[in-house]
Amino acid sequence: MKRFSALPFLLIALALVACGGDWSVGPNDGGASINRSYRYYYGVDCRYDSFGSYDCTDYYSLSPSVGARLQVTRDGYVTLCVDGECSYYDPGEYDVGYDHGDRYYDFVGDDVRMTIYEDGSELVYIDSYEGRAYYYYRDYDYYY
């Protein structure tokens, strides 16, 4: 009987190894979780219509800077906060795409749209009712 007394410990150890390094169980359908904060120091304002942005200003320094936080859980729930104003999105209420070599999250509402890049390089706010687009950048070297 003493040979089997180690069996429960062996099964527990095997189960913990099978869980992986993050100790999670079950499928990882939502991808990796994200919890990042960004600061934007430069802006560009444009007119906007169904063809896109045009008649844009030169880069200008934002004072004060714009803060943003993007939190995405493994199961696809998103919290997006811009200057302390937070919005919450269920999976399916936003789009994910790739542009500028990085993943972005696109949130579309009535007459407004906000896009934030996962690397924090750019934040875009479009108000189609007013016909304006606002681009926010961390650095001066990004193009709109």
Side-chain angles (χ1 to χ4, degrees):
M1 276 301 195
K2 291 190 178 197
R3 285 188 288 178
F4 297 108
S5 63
L7 185 61
F9 295 109
L10 180 61
L11 291 175
I12 290 171
L14 183 61
L16 290 176
V17 169
C19 289
D22 63 359
W23 297 77
S24 63
V25 294
N28 186 9
D29 296 331
S33 61
I34 299 167
N35 188 5
R36 296 185 181 158
S37 296
Y38 312 104
R39 275 264 173 239
Y40 298 97
Y41 300 100
Y42 300 98
V44 173
D45 298 345
C46 303
R47 293 179 63 189
Y48 183 85
D49 62 19
S50 59
F51 296 107
S53 298
Y54 64 97
D55 195 22
C56 297
T57 66
D58 289 332
Y59 283 87
Y60 61 90
S61 293
L62 297 171
S63 182
S65 62
V66 174
R69 183 172 60 88
L70 176 65
Q71 182 177 6
V72 182
T73 64
R74 287 188 182 274
D75 52 358
Y77 291 90
V78 173
T79 301
L80 175 63
C81 301
V82 178
D83 278 345
E85 296 289 324
C86 296
S87 299
Y88 307 95
Y89 301 91
D90 291 338
E93 291 184 325
Y94 62 92
D95 292 318
V96 178
Y98 291 90
D99 193 13
H100 303 293
D102 197 24
R103 173 184 269 193
Y104 66 84
Y105 294 84
D106 195 30
F107 307 95
V108 179
D110 296 333
D111 299 322
V112 295
R113 175 179 174 187
M114 185 164 296
T115 303
I116 187 168
Y117 284 80
E118 188 174 287
D119 69 353
S121 61
E122 184 177 15
L123 173 70
V124 181
Y125 176 75
I126 297 172
D127 185 333
S128 59
Y129 180 76
E130 296 206 5
R132 302 296 299 171
Y134 306 94
Y135 295 81
Y136 301 106
Y137 303 99
R138 292 186 316 168
D139 297 315
Y140 187 74
D141 61 348
Y142 288 95
Y143 301 99
Y144 49 90

